[in-house]
Amino acid sequence: MEAYTEPYGLLGKQTVDAAQALKSLQEELEAINFYNQRAGTCTNEDLKRIMAHNRDEEIEHAAMLIGWLKVYMDGWDKEIGDYVVNAQAGNMGVDGGEDVPEESSGDQGLGIGKL
């Protein structure tokens, strides 16, 4: 399976489950993009509504997978809290708005938080 970059036999069950969830999330996001573009370009209003409905179903699937990752894969819970739950337009935590810690004040990092 192309989702694995390391030998399958060396991967633990939790790692395999996470790989499946991440691959499924990738597929859901791709489907959201396809349906969103189609909904945005349809000239027939009935077809536009169907494409928007399909997009919204895929968003639900993606959200379910993100919820699974939040519970079962380390790191997601904190980052969802930091960047999803508290998201606001104009303050997405990427470019500024965050104080630079003193110990890294000379660092010219990416400005996307601690990596």
Side-chain angles (χ1 to χ4, degrees):
M1 180 177 195
E2 68 184 40
Y4 305 114
T5 60
E6 302 299 320
Y8 181 82
L10 298 178
L11 301 174
K13 182 181 178 339
Q14 185 175 359
T15 302
V16 171
D17 287 347
Q20 291 173 330
L22 291 165
K23 183 63 175 170
S24 293
L25 178 57
Q26 178 183 2
E27 293 164 354
E28 297 296 344
L29 293 172
E30 185 173 83
I32 292 165
N33 183 35
F34 292 161
Y35 285 124
N36 191 55
Q37 288 183 41
R38 291 172 187 152
T41 59
C42 284
T43 56
N44 181 283
E45 287 303 313
D46 289 330
L47 185 56
K48 181 185 287 279
R49 280 191 295 277
I50 292 169
M51 293 299 165
H53 170 81
N54 290 350
R55 176 202 58 217
D56 295 346
E57 290 284 323
E58 302 301 340
I59 291 171
E60 178 185 20
H61 301 161
M64 292 167 67
L65 287 161
I66 291 169
W68 186 92
L69 290 163
K70 177 184 182 291
V71 172
Y72 291 101
M73 187 175 178
D74 290 343
W76 283 82
D77 187 40
K78 179 191 178 310
E79 300 305 332
I80 286 173
D82 289 350
Y83 295 103
V84 178
V85 173
N86 299 318
Q88 296 178 350
N91 186 18
M92 299 304 289
V94 177
D95 303 316
E98 298 178 19
D99 293 332
V100 178
E102 288 183 31
E103 65 268 11
S104 65
S105 60
D107 187 328
Q108 297 297 318
L110 297 175
I112 56 174
K114 234 183 225 184
L115 295 180

